[in-house]
Amino acid sequence: QVQLVESGGGSVQAGGSLRLSCAASGGYCMGWFRQAPGKEREGVAAIDNNGRTNYTDPVKGRFTISRDNAKNTLYLQMSSLKPEDTAMYYCAAATSRFCYLSLQPYVYSSWGPGAQVTVSS
């Protein structure tokens, strides 16, 4: 089981930026997911061990996922934030190499406790 802990959440005004970090003990694919109150958890971005990435359409051009394997850390740089980005953000890891940069939560077996991101208008 991969251990994950998010940090870097907070409150920001629309148009601002935040960077989330996730201390992780491993994972072939790693991803960021978010869940707003009353909504299902959705995939935001994924990255594999070779640095290939995948993003959901609403965040393309605004969010950047990266990982530092030497530091066992996953990042999500968020810019041009919008109120609709407000959610609890989770990092997740999939240990199988057959994760195919999926943004589906069921593919990921390990999850962090989450970090709140609030964007005000």
Side-chain angles (χ1 to χ4, degrees), residues 7 11 24 28 32 45 54 56 60 74 88 92-93 100 102 104 109:
S7 60
S11 298
Y28 187 83
W32 288 99
N54 184 28
T56 188
K60 285 181 179 177
L74 177 72
M88 186 72 78
Y100 302 123
S102 176
Q104 296 296 322
S109 55

Side-chain angles (χ1 to χ4, degrees), residues 33-44 86-88 90 103-105:
F33 294 77
R34 64 187 181 187
Q35 188 167 18
K39 294 189 176 181
E40 292 187 353
R41 190 169 298 189
E42 63 171 348
V44 174
T86 295
M88 186 72 78
Y90 301 89
L103 295 178
Q104 296 296 322

Side-chain angles (χ1 to χ4, degrees), residues 11-31:
S11 298
V12 65
Q13 288 193 327
S17 299
L18 280 175
R19 189 176 80 158
L20 298 177
S21 299
C22 175
S25 60
Y28 187 83
C29 281
M30 299 193 71

Side-chain angles (χ1 to χ4, degrees), residues 33-116:
F33 294 77
R34 64 187 181 187
Q35 188 167 18
K39 294 189 176 181
E40 292 187 353
R41 190 169 298 189
E42 63 171 348
V44 174
I47 187 168
D48 69 12
N49 224 24
N50 295 306
R52 291 173 294 202
T53 59
N54 184 28
Y55 297 91
T56 188
D57 284 345
V59 309
K60 285 181 179 177
R62 301 190 297 122
F63 291 10
T64 302
I65 188 171
S66 61
R67 65 192 291 177
D68 186 332
N69 291 331
K71 295 182 179 179
N72 290 330
T73 304
L74 177 72
Y75 302 99
L76 184 68
Q77 177 67 48
M78 303 181 291
S79 303
S80 301
L81 283 161
K82 305 175 181 180
E84 50 264 43
D85 295 317
T86 295
M88 186 72 78
Y89 282 71
Y90 301 89
C91 68
T95 55
S96 169
R97 64 186 180 93
F98 299 109
C99 43
Y100 302 123
L101 294 170
S102 176
L103 295 178
Q104 296 296 322
Y106 72 87
V107 172
Y108 295 79
S109 55
S110 299
W111 294 83
Q116 179 66 39

